Amino acid sequence: MPGPEAMRKVLVAVLDSGVDDTHPDLRAAVDPKASASCADGRPDARTGSWRPDPGVEESGHGTHVAGIIGAARDGQGVTGVAPGVRIAAVRLLGPLGQYYAENIVCGMLWAADHGAKAINDSYFADPWKYNCPEEPDQAALIAAVGRAVAYARRKGAVVVASAGNDGQDLGAARTDRRSPNDRVTGPAPTRYLGTECIRLPGELPGVVTVTAVNRDGSPSSYTNYGRGRISLAAPGGDPDGGAEGAIVSDWPGGRFAALAGTSMSAAHVTGAVAVAAALHPDFGAAQLADLLARTAAGCPVRGCGDRGHFGVGLLVVPR
């Protein structure tokens, strides 16, 4: 593990529901000068703007993700993959509980302009579970988020995203029964989608997209997968496994929670990018992503088939 001085030079951004920087595990990690809210589509850097809104459902999610990445190694609470790293807490989630494109674009540009070496995206862009380029409104969302991701990558950030928790093959035709998820009445129509319809930002070019595995290395039952659509696999946990099977991390108010999902696996990869950046401060985004690909472990369980669940393999934190 790199020394404290090397780790402190690395900034990673957590684009999420907000981060509680008063949590003992995260007080020293969150950098107020690099943190902001993009909950209304424009950056708000006022003190505390990046903290979660307790009135919004699942507002503790970002604190949990941040803990996986960079919780302090002080013998208390939990320890992150990259203790000592600086975290840019960027709240995307507004009062409607949605991660809209304007929130994502704002957060991506903020993180890139503040020098983030990795940007963690443990969400999908609302209101469409998958965006289809033949639909003009969805094509506009693909273009907007795609430009923001490309900008962040040009500025030197590795963009890491969760693969999703629908148990679907991203490389095959599939159904979507929840979009648009901001409708006010009635059930969502069933959409029959082709492979051209993509999850944002996880299926955009150059994004490191992460699936989830259980403690034994087997694919988690909920994880999305797909040959050619996945970069790496990392620990995401078993939602039915309790504290022993899920991923324990920080929760607002100084508490802890055991969660499972590709959100957690993406956070593990973002932490590994931070370690790699501290070890190799001269590396750009492409070199850091390539290092993770080269150091990944091979297929960890029998029956991996075409590696659709693992991409290049299982995450190994660089040393």
Side-chain angles (χ1 to χ4, degrees):
M1 178 66 68
E5 290 186 8
M7 287 304 306
R8 197 64 188 165
K9 293 178 181 178
V10 178
L11 179 73
V12 299
V14 176
L15 275 55
D16 214 292
S17 62
V19 177
D20 180 8
D21 59 329
T22 71
H23 195 292
D25 285 350
L26 295 170
R27 281 181 192 146
V30 174
D31 183 349
K33 294 181 180 179
S35 299
S37 170
C38 280
D40 66 355
R42 54 187 176 180
D44 174 5
R46 289 177 295 179
T47 300
S49 64
W50 54 81
R51 294 172 188 150
D53 180 350
V56 178
E57 188 177 358
E58 298 184 1
S59 63
H61 185 274
T63 302
H64 195 276
V65 165
I68 294 170
I69 296 169
R73 183 171 57 193
D74 58 5
Q76 306 292 323
V78 300
T79 299
V81 175
V85 71
R86 288 185 297 123
I87 292 175
V90 185
R91 180 162 71 94
L92 303 187
L93 205 61
L96 298 179
Q98 303 284 337
Y99 294 89
Y100 287 125
E102 57 263 35
N103 310 121
I104 299 168
V105 170
C106 169
M108 201 72 68
L109 269 57
W110 172 274
D113 287 342
H114 283 77
K117 298 297 289 185
I119 301 175
N120 191 88
D121 302 276
S122 290
Y123 57 84
F124 68 90
D126 296 305
W128 304 98
K129 170 70 76 169
Y130 300 101
N131 290 267
C132 302
E134 68 271 18
E135 297 290 338
D137 58 340
Q138 295 166 42
L141 300 179
I142 294 171
V145 177
R147 286 196 296 266
V149 166
Y151 177 82
R153 295 181 65 233
R154 288 196 303 270
K155 296 282 281 189
V158 179
V159 180
V160 181
S162 55
N165 304 330
D166 303 296
Q168 293 183 326
D169 183 352
L170 299 176
R174 69 198 87 97
T175 57
D176 173 14
R177 295 186 173 90
R178 62 176 291 182
S179 301
N181 61 11
D182 59 355
R183 65 193 182 280
V184 294
T185 60
T190 299
R191 306 167 71 210
Y192 298 97
L193 309 177
T195 57
E196 76 280 1
C197 300
I198 62 172
R199 176 184 166 95
L200 294 177
E203 291 186 82
L204 289 168
V207 173
V208 176
T209 304
V210 190
T211 58
V213 297
N214 298 327
R215 283 185 177 270
D216 63 0
S218 63
S220 301
S221 61
Y222 53 79
T223 189
N224 286 349
Y225 57 96
R227 184 176 178 84
R229 304 294 181 106
I230 299 303
S231 306
L232 288 166
D238 178 358
D240 300 318
E244 292 298 318
I247 307 298
V248 177
S249 186
D250 302 320
W251 198 254
R255 294 172 293 167
F256 303 90
L259 302 181
T262 57
S263 290
M264 287 69 248
S265 51
H268 280 89
V269 171
T270 298
V273 174
V275 173
L279 290 169
H280 304 281
D282 57 326
F283 276 20
Q287 292 170 297
L288 292 171
D290 180 66
L291 176 61
L292 292 193
R294 287 189 287 105
T295 57
C299 181
V301 295
R302 295 180 62 185
C304 282
D306 64 5
R307 304 176 75 87
H309 280 93
F310 291 89
V312 298
L314 187 63
L315 173 70
V316 174
V317 179
R319 299 186 181 279

